[in-house]
Amino acid sequence: MSEHNSRVKSRAADIHVISPAGVVLDAERLRRARANLAARGYRVALDRGVLARDRRFAGSDRTRLAAFRRAARSAARIVMISRGGYGITRLLAELDFAELAASGKQWVGFSDFTAFQLAMLAREKAPTWSGPSLMEDYGGKPDPTTADVFDDAMAGRLQVLGF
């Protein structure tokens, strides 16, 4: 085991994965992504609705709203999206941002997830993380820099990002 992996494993974090937007069509890529995060020391729980489908969405609006509630109430410290796409704006009026912010989770994602992140900031002054999604960033061969920065950010070892 590399020095980096042993450092991450000693501070393993749980990740709860939700699909708040587009449908997940590639279950094998999802499996690989989960395995890649596990190899970095994370325990990854897939929300029960992660593979749901309702037309182009990852389940009905009700299904995706329930996933946010389950994630907030889960034991995981980090909530990561499976993928981006379209559909979060359909949920914003129904999300309980006070409950989601009070959960203390590190909400991580990008793409359509940005609407959620801005709503959390506007309504609750709660920080979120613009960062990787499960399938996009871990479904193939993870970029080492992305993976290392994510590990450091989630562990509180990274304070400033610069590009």
Side-chain angles (χ1 to χ4, degrees):
M1 180 183 311
S2 74
E3 178 183 330
H4 173 77
N5 281 347
S6 64
R7 178 180 52 140
V8 172
K9 284 190 182 300
S10 68
R11 296 185 180 133
D14 291 319
I15 300 174
H16 187 101
V17 177
I18 61 173
S19 294
V23 64
V24 172
L25 296 173
D26 189 346
E28 176 56 25
R29 186 172 178 89
L30 186 76
R31 186 203 60 75
R32 275 193 319 270
R34 188 177 186 189
N36 282 332
L37 276 170
R40 295 190 68 82
Y42 293 97
R43 292 169 291 173
V44 180
L46 301 179
D47 185 80
R48 69 176 181 235
V50 80
L51 292 172
R53 183 173 190 174
D54 183 10
R55 299 178 310 264
R56 68 191 283 186
F57 305 113
S60 67
D61 291 353
R62 180 177 303 270
T63 296
R64 292 179 294 126
L65 285 166
F68 275 95
R69 284 191 297 278
R70 285 190 298 272
R73 295 172 183 164
S74 77
R77 190 171 52 85
I78 301 164
V79 179
M80 179 185 282
I81 64 168
S82 62
R83 57 158 290 180
Y86 168 77
I88 284 185
T89 55
R90 296 167 53 105
L91 308 179
L92 295 179
E94 300 298 321
L95 286 170
D96 183 344
F97 287 97
E99 176 188 13
L100 299 177
S103 74
K105 306 295 182 204
Q106 293 174 291
W107 300 89
V108 180
F110 68 97
S111 184
D112 193 50
F113 199 63
T114 304
F116 168 79
Q117 293 170 310
L118 292 173
M120 279 283 275
L121 181 61
R123 295 181 185 181
E124 297 299 321
K125 308 290 186 259
T128 57
W129 293 85
S130 182
S133 71
L134 182 69
M135 293 178 62
E136 179 67 26
D137 295 289
Y138 291 96
K141 183 175 178 1
D143 174 75
T145 301
T146 298
D148 287 347
V149 169
F150 175 72
D151 293 344
D152 287 345
M154 294 298 100
R157 294 185 301 266
L158 183 67
Q159 299 301 317
V160 178
L161 294 175
F163 298 93

